[in-house]
Each structure stands twice: as C-alpha cells, then as structure tokens.
Amino acid sequence: MSRYARATRSRPGPWSRLRSVAGQAFVLQLLLTLVLVAAAVVAVAADAHGHSTLDARRRSLAVAETLAHSPGMARAISDDKPTPQLESHAEAARKGSGVDSVVVFNTHGIRLTHPETPLIGKRIVGPAGLVRDELSGKTITETFRASQGPSVVSAVPVTRADGAFIGGVSVGVKVENVNSAVDRRLPLLLGSGAGALALATGGTALMSGRVRRQTRGLGTVEMRRMYEHHDAVLHSVREGVLVLAEDGRLLLVNDEARELLRLAPDAEGRHIGELGLEPHLTELLASGRRVTDEVHPCGDRLLAVNMRSTDRAGDPAGSVVTLRDTTALRVLSGRAEEARERLKLLSDAGVRISSSLELTGTAEQLVDVAVPRFADIVTVELLEAVLRGEEPEPPYEPLAPHRTAVGGVPPEAPVFRVGERVVYAPATPQSRAVKAGAAVLQADPTDTAEWPAGYGAEARHLLDRGVHSLITVPLRFRGVTLGLATFWRTRRGEPFDEADLAIAGELAVRTAVCVDNARRYAHEHAMVAALQRTLLPSGLPDQDAVEVASRYLPARGTVGGSWFDVIPLPGARVALVAGKVPGQGVHAAATMGRLRTAVQNFSALDVAPDELISHLDELVTRLDLEHDPDSHGGRITGAGCLYAIHDSVSGRCTMARAGDPGIVLTRPDGTVDIPAMPASPPLGQGGEPFETVGLSLPAASRLVMYTNGLLQGPGRTAGTGLDLLRRALEAEPDLGPDETCRSLFDTVLPARPSDDVALLVARTRLIDPENVAEWDVPFDAAAVAPIRATCARTLRAWGLEDAVYTTGLVISELITNALRYGTPPVRIRLLRGRDLICEVSDGSSTSPHLRRAATTDEGGRGLFLVAQFAQRWGTRYSSYGKVIWAETALDGR
C-alpha cells in the first residue's frame, strides 16, 4: 500500500463519514423523506384550502340569502330609521352563523348595519366591480384578497313585493377562520416523516460500517483524490511533470514531459545526468532549488520550468518539476502585440486625420501618424482639381499630382519636396494604383525604370538610404480618386507584407474621407468668400469730405458678417459705416449684404444717424418676424452698426451706434480719444432709443472705425486690445489712412483672430471758407435776377467762367421754385469743390417732383431743366424746412 493510503488511516471525522457512499445514501434518503413529507403537507394544505374556500362561499351565501329573505327586512330598510331595527337582527345572525361581517345597505351603498358601529352610515367599500354588482341588485359570491387575507363576500338583493330593488345584504367570511384541516392532519404527517428518517439513519449506519470494513478504512474521498491526482499528472494536464528523488533519480514522468524532453521509454529510475538532456537543463534539475517560470531552450523549443521540493511534513525529500512549451505562446504574443499596435495606429489616425478641415492639414496629419510607426517615409499627393476645391474627373492620365505633405525625409537629403508637381510614368506603382483603384505593394522598388520621372538624380539618395519596399494607395472616396499616399520602408524595418497592405488601405480610406470633406469645405468657403467680396465695396468713392482707406480680413477658415461702407452725401458730406452680423458662413454674408443695401437706401433719405439706426432696427425686427429661426441660427437680431456723418463745411461729425462696432478719434495734435457714446442694444432687440453724438473735428483728424475682431482673440480681451489700439495710434500720429490700416493690422490684430475684421480709417477734410458763398433771398420774384447776377460774379471770382451760364440757369429755376411753392426764409449757398454745388433752402417741407410739362403748359419745366443741366440733384430735409441741391461737374467732368 502506498504512503497516501497509510497516511489516511487516521480516525475518520464526522465530515469524512458524510463524504462516504453510506453518508451520501443517508443524505439522499433524508432529502427524499423531506421532499415526500413536504409534498404531502402541500397537498393537504391545498385540499384544505379548497374545502375551506368552498365552505366559506356556501356559508356566506346562505347567511346572506336567509337574512335578505327574512320577513320584515324590506319594510325595515324602507323605514326612515332602519338601523335600530336591523342592527340587533344582523348581529345575532353574524354571531349565530360564525361569519365575520353582516352588512345591510341601501341602494346608495350606505351601510345600515356593520359590526363596527363607526362605519354605519358610510358607503360600502371594496373592489370597484364587486361594489358595482352589489348596487345593481345582483346576487354575487366573490373571493378576493383583502388586507386581512383571502376573504369571501356574498351579496343578496332585498326587494319589495313589486320586485323593486331597495337594498342588499352583504356577508363576509375570512377563509383562515374555516381552515382547520391542516391542523388536524399535520401531526400525523410529521410523525410518519420522523419514522422514515429513523429507519434511513439506521440503514445508513449499517451500510457505512460494511463499506469501511471492505475498504480497510480508506474513505471514498481519499480514493477519488488519489485517482484524480494520478490521472491529472499522467494523462490530463498539458504540462510535462517530473518527480525526482533526493539523489537525482527520475521517479515519475508523464507523456508530455517525455515528448518535450525526448526521453527514452526506460527513463524512469535512471539518474537525471543519464537522460541525455542539455547541460544547462541537467544542472538546473539536479540543483533542487526553487524555480518559477524560468525559460530555457531545449532544442528548437522554449520551455518554462517550475520546480518545487516535495519535503512537506515528513514526506520523502525530492523535487517536482513542471514544464510548459512557450514557443507558440511567444509567437502568438508577438502577433497579438503587433495587432494591438496596428489597431492603436488606426485609432490614432482616425482621431488626428479628422481634426483638420484644411487639405494641407489633413495630409500632414496622416504623415505625422504614419511616421515612424508604420513607415519610414510617407508622401501625400493631391490632384490639382482637389486643391481648387473641385471634384476630379477621370481619366487621371497623365498622373501629375501636387505633393502636399512629406514626412521622414531628412533636411540634408530632400528627395521629396512639398509643393512640387510630380509627373508619374504609366509603369510606376503610383500610376498603376490610381488606374486600378487599389493599393499596390512593391517589395523591391530599386528598379529605377519604375521611378517617377520627377525624381531624377535624387532617386539615388533614396536608394542609398536603403529603401526596400513601398506601398502606394489611391485616396478614393465615392469612386473618385482625390490623390495618393505612398509609404516607404528603409533598411531599419521589415519589408511590407499583405497585412501592412490592409493597414495602408484603411489609412487611405480614412484620409480620403477627410480630404473630401476638406475639399468640399474649401469649395464652399471659396463660394462664400466670393459672395462676400461681391457684397463688400469693391472700391471707395471719390468725395471731398474725407480721405479714406479700409481693410477686411475674413476669419480663419470661414467667412463672417463684418462690413464697412463710405456713402457720399449731398452738401460736401459723407457717411461712414461699420457693421457686424452675428454668425458665420453664407447666411452671415448674405445678411451683411442686405443690411449694407438697407443702410445705403436709408442714407438716400438723408436722415440723422439716430433716425437711420432706428429704421435699421425696425427692419431687422421685421425680417426676423418674417422667417422662423432655423437650425443654423438664421436670425439677424444681435447685429451691430455704427453710422457717422461728417460735414466738410462745418467740420461737424454726428454719429449713432447699435451694438458693438467701435470708434476711436485721433486729433491733429496726436491726442487719442474714444468718443463717449451711449450704450445701445444691438439691432432687433429694441426697447431703447438710439442717441446721436456730435463732435467738432478739425481738418486732418482720423476716425478709426472697427469691429471687435480687430481687438479680441485667444488669450486677449477687448479691453487689452483697445489699449493696444490707443498706443498704436499715439505712436504714429502722422500716418495716412492706408498706412494706419497697415500699421494696425501689424501691431493690434491678434495672431489668430477669433472673428472676421472690418477696419475703416478716415482722415477729415474741411472746405476752405473762400470756396463757400451764401446769401439770403428776399421772398419776392423780383429778387431772382439780382441773386443770379451776384452768383455769377462769385463764380467769375472763383475762375469758373464756363459754369456761369449753366449755373445761372439752375439757380434761377431753384429760387423760382422755392418762391413759388415754398415759404420763407429762403437762402442760397454755393460750394466749390471737385464739383460745384448749389443749394436753395426754404421753410417748407413740401417735396418737389420732377414731371414732364405738356405743350400747352406755361410752367412746370423748372426741375426738368435742372435735371438736364445738373450732374445730380435732390432734396434733403432739416429741422427748419428743406434744401434742394444740384451738383454741376467742373473741368468737363
């Protein structure tokens, strides 16, 4: 008998007996007995419950029918005070029959009797259907679960002699009060179960003693453990197992160890040094030291060795050695790590490549991801149509893309240069890939006949770097080729294989999607930018009031709604405008054009700045009410506008503002001032009046009007930008408008503006008083000729002999019109600038109209003649009346 059997002959404990066959049989009998007793109890309980419920239904119905049909019941219910007559009768019936409740109720559901006196006079309660049936005069018997447990209720209607329903009797019984069958049968069942259990215990004791005598005291647990240990060691486990004696003899070896170590069939019993193992393995096994997962070569295998001593609690000394073949595991681990790296590469590529909406940025992101994790050199080339924002059309021959991004090429050997156009011959891998629409793998690209003609002599530099394989992949999206990406590996890495071909294809697919998005974005941005350019002033008009210059800078990657305008006004005046529409894109550009057109139309009315801003505010409100706000934020409310009028005769500048556009004033002495303009809400918000601010400006003053994009940017507030603007204007007080614009863009504009920028700089001019002449006109038709003669002398003094006749005719007609249709006072003013301006004012607000006189009319041709001889004419209104003006070109203009 082995030492395992001898070691288990100790006195068995109670738990070991339960693990024996007899103990298991005893447990089985015990469970069977308990199941049978439980099943019997359940059956008896179910049977008793059924009988109890049936008995309760019968009892409640019988009591209800007896009481409902008892003599005098109908008369008592119909009485004015039924409760005193019915209460004692109902309680006697309840106590005599053993039911739980007897309730008499009328047709309204009001209790006339109840075992609990406080409930008399209140409505009966219960399930809605049950109460409904009771009040409808039906005879019912229902079982339901109440708060006290299962109950049975029976209701019987009470009728008069004519059959009319006048009330009812409801009798309730709790099922548990009639359930006594289980109590009578339960002792018998439990006694039977105890007897069966006693018999099972005796039988188990007899069986256990007999089995232990037959197995000589060795329990079944020990026998099973010995068998499982032996089977697991020698047959089941996929590890080699060696058992070594203290002197180094091999006591036990399983089949797996024989195969791993290539042992002879008679290896057991021999010394470890006689088995023909490799010296390092022999030394390790003979050492007897503790070893954990040490990897040792054995032939063409890598074995993980574990060794432990068997000297436990007096057991014979020796060692147990386990061996695992890790060769395949190492290979699989390397492949798993490689697959994990490739998945991470694709994940990083998906995130980084999609982070840019610029064609160059998208290509550069692919290069940054792929070098050096996937390839040593990467080039990305896009077709010329893509760079223009267009969709290329086949055929793509000859293939001549523009190199957009390059990575991995050292500066000292620039084989690939960004920005150059490369012409690929039909035999090159790039041309073949584009023609086939699939990736091409070339393991040996050293054949210079297949290299692009554009590489020339520089191809030798690439060969010298040890390039040994390449993959070129067309960038295709929706069946359209947008460009191609080429991946190169040098001597530092393994050549590309089919798995790499799949990775390159996946990188190309993701890049192509982002390139197409960037192409579409560039195309749309170009369209919006073109739209905005057509809506902004293409040039600034010539006028005498100011010298003006402007700049516009769109936001990075998009188009905003900032704008400016210069609008000449009659009377040697000019309107200066700066505005901002919220949002970006097509909607902002189109809205900007609408507001700029509206400002020009309102300016034609020649109204004050605050009145013009009010008209513009009403327009914005009306436009927003006409259109529901869409998902793209298509509202105009929130737009801003700054409107200023400069009069070059008086030097007076009046301005009004809505929203954020700002203005800074620089006087000729170099002082910089920010006009104190009342804060007004943006356009469309309404609710507050707009106010006009008036300033007297000397000649050569500079007005700088701007939108907030000039001041604000990442890391900079509007206050910080305003300080920079003030210092820049103070530092260079003598700059002209164009130089001022250039200087502000160089010194004040943020490196990355957060919004588009509109900048307008105007340097004021004043008309020399010698070029201004004005007279009061008596309100008499006879005064026309003297005034005309006086004006003629002034024109001759100005050296305008050629304009005397024409101007005299215009003056005569304008004064005659004022005297005939206007009211005093009447005044005339002549202004000499680049044009000759004649203004006649009167106290009437009647608007003159140009009309064509009939042949029989004696008058009506005055304004028609003015319109024929003058370059422009019109009417403007003031607080004291109106002014009719006419401009006559000088110097043949």
Side-chain angles (χ1 to χ4, degrees):
M1 184 175 296
S2 69
R3 59 187 176 90
Y4 297 101
R6 289 194 300 270
T8 56
R9 285 196 176 189
S10 58
R11 286 177 296 178
W15 292 109
S16 61
R17 292 196 185 99
L18 290 179
R19 296 175 184 174
S20 64
V21 176
Q24 293 175 358
F26 170 71
V27 173
L28 179 61
Q29 292 176 9
L30 176 60
L31 293 177
L32 181 60
T33 301
L34 292 178
V35 169
L36 291 176
V37 172
V41 171
V42 171
V44 170
D47 180 64
H49 176 73
H51 284 288
S52 299
T53 303
L54 181 61
D55 182 58
R57 293 173 67 91
R58 290 175 179 174
R59 186 183 303 180
S60 63
L61 182 60
V63 174
E65 287 181 341
T66 301
L67 193 59
H69 298 151
S70 64
M73 176 60 70
R75 183 175 63 258
I77 292 178
S78 302
D79 194 83
D80 293 338
K81 296 182 178 180
T83 298
Q85 304 179 42
L86 296 173
E87 186 173 10
S88 58
H89 188 57
E91 281 299 298
R94 182 182 67 82
K95 294 177 180 179
S97 60
V99 299
D100 293 291
S101 65
V102 175
V103 178
V104 181
F105 57 91
N106 58 19
T107 56
H108 299 293
I110 302 302
R111 300 187 182 101
L112 303 180
T113 67
H114 196 278
E116 299 179 16
T117 304
L119 298 180
I120 298 175
K122 297 183 179 179
R123 292 184 59 86
I124 58 177
V125 295
L130 180 63
V131 174
R132 192 184 308 112
D133 291 342
E134 289 178 348
L135 295 181
S136 62
K138 296 181 180 180
T139 299
I140 60 173
T141 299
E142 294 290 341
T143 301
F144 67 98
R145 179 170 294 277
S147 60
Q148 300 85 3
S151 301
V152 176
V153 173
S154 296
V156 177
V158 177
T159 59
R160 289 199 296 264
D162 57 359
F165 174 68
I166 62 174
V169 178
S170 175
V171 177
V173 179
K174 289 188 286 187
V175 176
E176 66 179 9
N177 292 341
V178 295
N179 191 4
S180 60
V182 175
D183 297 339
R184 295 193 301 270
R185 301 179 186 179
L186 188 58
L188 178 60
L189 290 174
L190 294 178
S192 301
L197 185 59
L199 291 176
T201 302
T204 300
L206 294 176
M207 183 181 297
S208 177
R210 185 174 181 179
V211 169
R212 296 190 70 82
R213 286 193 299 271
Q214 291 179 350
T215 58
R216 300 180 180 180
L218 189 62
T220 56
V221 175
E222 290 79 6
M223 295 177 62
R224 183 176 67 253
R225 182 182 301 163
M226 289 177 60
Y227 173 77
E228 290 176 350
H229 179 270
H230 183 272
D231 185 68
V233 170
L234 298 182
H235 304 288
S236 301
V237 299
R238 299 303 301 165
E239 290 187 354
V241 178
L242 304 173
V243 179
L244 303 175
E246 186 178 10
D247 59 359
R249 288 183 299 107
L250 180 60
L251 300 180
L252 180 65
V253 59
N254 69 345
D255 296 339
E256 185 73 10
R258 290 180 185 276
E259 181 179 352
L260 293 176
L261 299 177
R262 296 180 175 87
L263 298 178
D266 59 348
E268 292 182 343
R270 298 168 60 183
H271 192 273
I272 193 67
E274 303 172 358
L275 300 180
L277 302 178
E278 297 184 8
H280 63 89
L281 274 180
T282 302
E283 180 182 358
L284 174 66
L285 297 179
S287 66
R289 62 184 177 88
R290 183 186 180 93
V291 175
T292 301
D293 286 339
E294 286 191 8
V295 178
H296 294 269
C298 181
D300 57 351
R301 301 173 184 271
L302 290 175
L303 301 182
V305 181
N306 289 270
M307 188 161 60
R308 296 290 186 275
S309 172
T310 59
D311 188 4
R312 296 287 189 275
D315 290 338
S319 301
V320 175
V321 181
T322 60
L323 307 173
R324 293 196 317 274
D325 186 359
T326 63
T327 306
L329 181 62
R330 290 296 179 93
V331 174
L332 291 177
S333 177
R335 292 179 179 176
E337 183 64 26
E338 183 179 354
R340 187 160 49 248
E341 287 296 326
R342 289 178 175 178
L343 290 176
K344 190 174 186 305
L345 171 66
L346 294 178
S347 176
D348 294 345
V351 173
R352 295 186 59 178
I353 295 174
S354 61
S355 64
S356 175
L357 274 178
E358 296 179 356
L359 290 169
T360 302
T362 300
E364 290 174 347
Q365 291 295 343
L366 172 61
V367 170
D368 292 341
V369 169
V371 176
R373 297 167 62 182
F374 180 69
D376 299 306
I377 300 174
V378 177
T379 61
V380 179
E381 294 145 355
L382 300 179
L383 298 182
E384 186 174 357
V386 175
L387 298 176
R388 296 195 305 266
E390 302 173 1
E391 185 174 282
E393 296 183 359
Y396 309 109
E397 297 177 351
L399 182 61
H402 286 263
R403 183 161 294 123
T404 309
V406 174
V409 177
E412 63 272 10
V415 179
F416 305 107
R417 295 177 177 84
V418 175
E420 65 181 356
R421 185 180 183 186
V422 185
V423 179
Y424 286 105
T428 59
Q430 288 80 1
S431 293
R432 288 188 281 117
V434 171
K435 184 176 182 180
V440 172
L441 167 63
Q442 184 166 330
D444 184 14
T446 57
D447 185 0
T448 55
E450 294 188 354
W451 282 55
Y455 290 167
E458 293 178 340
R460 179 55 54 188
H461 294 292
L462 194 57
L463 294 177
D464 294 341
R465 297 194 65 207
V467 169
H468 53 67
S469 61
L470 70 85
I471 294 178
T472 182
V473 193
L475 303 179
R476 292 175 57 85
F477 183 68
R478 295 182 291 105
V480 177
T481 298
L482 306 174
L484 64 152
T486 305
F487 305 90
W488 311 75
R489 278 188 182 172
T490 64
R491 64 174 65 93
R492 295 178 300 174
E494 295 293 330
F496 286 118
D497 54 20
E498 294 296 328
D500 295 320
L501 197 65
I503 297 296
E506 186 64 26
L507 290 174
V509 168
R510 301 186 183 200
T511 304
V513 173
C514 297
V515 166
D516 189 69
N517 290 338
R519 179 194 64 80
R520 290 171 175 269
Y521 181 80
H523 181 67
E524 294 178 2
H525 182 266
M527 293 177 58
V528 175
L531 171 64
Q532 188 180 47
R533 283 193 298 270
T534 61
L535 296 176
L536 285 172
S538 58
L540 300 178
D542 293 332
Q543 33 74 40
D544 293 326
V546 293
E547 178 187 357
V548 66
S550 63
R551 292 289 189 278
Y552 175 79
L553 179 67
R556 184 179 179 87
T558 185
V559 173
S562 296
W563 94 92
F564 59 87
D565 211 344
V566 178
I567 306 171
L569 298 178
R573 297 172 303 143
V574 66
L576 306 173
V577 190
K580 178 74 174 75
V581 173
Q584 295 177 338
V586 177
H587 173 77
T591 304
M592 175 270 292
R594 298 171 73 180
L595 292 187
R596 177 171 175 255
T597 302
V599 170
Q600 290 180 335
N601 291 333
F602 291 144
S603 297
L605 301 176
D606 207 348
V607 296
D610 58 339
E611 187 176 351
L612 183 141
I613 295 294
S614 297
H615 288 321
L616 198 62
D617 180 71
E618 295 174 359
L619 174 64
V620 168
T621 302
R622 185 169 63 254
L623 291 176
D624 274 347
L625 291 177
E626 291 177 357
H627 303 282
D628 294 332
D630 55 25
S631 59
H632 302 288
R635 295 184 65 86
I636 311 177
T637 296
C641 181
L642 174 62
Y643 185 83
I645 297 178
H646 172 62
D647 189 341
S648 63
V649 177
S650 64
R652 188 72 175 167
C653 180
T654 57
M655 61 190 74
R657 178 175 66 179
D660 295 332
I663 183 170
V664 176
L665 169 64
T666 303
R667 300 187 183 275
D669 58 1
T671 60
V672 177
D673 184 26
I674 300 177
M677 300 186 65
S680 299
L683 297 173
Q685 295 186 2
E688 296 184 15
F690 299 99
E691 299 182 27
T692 297
V693 175
L695 302 172
S696 293
L697 303 180
S701 298
R702 283 184 298 174
L703 289 172
V704 179
M705 303 171 65
Y706 59 88
T707 57
N708 275 349
L710 177 67
L711 307 181
Q712 295 180 347
R716 184 201 289 183
T717 63
T720 304
L722 190 58
D723 292 339
L724 289 174
L725 176 60
R726 183 194 295 268
R727 289 197 296 269
L729 293 175
E730 290 174 346
E732 299 176 305
D734 299 327
L735 294 181
D738 192 67
E739 291 82 0
T740 301
C741 289
R742 185 181 304 110
S743 173
L744 295 182
F745 265 42
D746 293 339
T747 59
V748 180
L749 185 69
R752 296 178 63 88
S754 58
D755 204 348
D756 60 339
V757 181
L759 175 63
L760 184 65
V761 178
R763 183 161 60 183
T764 61
R765 295 169 176 160
L766 294 181
I767 295 181
D768 193 327
E770 295 181 356
N771 293 326
V772 180
E774 55 183 337
W775 303 271
D776 292 325
V777 179
F779 201 74
D780 186 358
V784 176
I787 290 296
R788 184 173 60 240
T790 301
C791 291
R793 286 193 299 271
T794 301
L795 294 177
R796 291 188 183 96
W798 286 347
L800 302 177
E801 295 285 348
D802 295 339
V804 170
Y805 176 77
T806 302
T807 304
L809 181 60
V810 171
I811 289 173
S812 297
E813 296 299 335
L814 291 182
I815 293 177
T816 300
N817 185 280
L819 295 175
R820 178 175 297 179
Y821 302 106
T823 59
V826 178
R827 291 181 61 83
I828 183 171
R829 184 172 74 166
L830 295 179
L831 303 175
R832 185 180 70 167
R834 66 181 60 213
D835 295 319
L836 180 63
I837 302 174
C838 177
E839 298 179 342
V840 175
S841 63
D842 65 81
S844 169
S845 59
T846 304
S847 176
H849 296 283
L850 179 67
R851 64 186 180 89
R852 188 180 297 274
T855 55
T856 58
D857 291 342
E858 294 183 1
R861 298 175 177 83
L863 291 181
F864 181 78
L865 293 175
V866 171
Q868 296 299 314
F869 287 106
Q871 180 177 262
R872 294 192 306 158
W873 76 280
T875 304
R876 71 175 187 270
Y877 297 91
S878 64
S879 58
Y880 54 82
K882 70 175 181 295
V883 177
I884 304 178
W885 56 271
E887 289 185 6
T888 304
L890 301 178
D891 301 329
R893 290 185 294 109

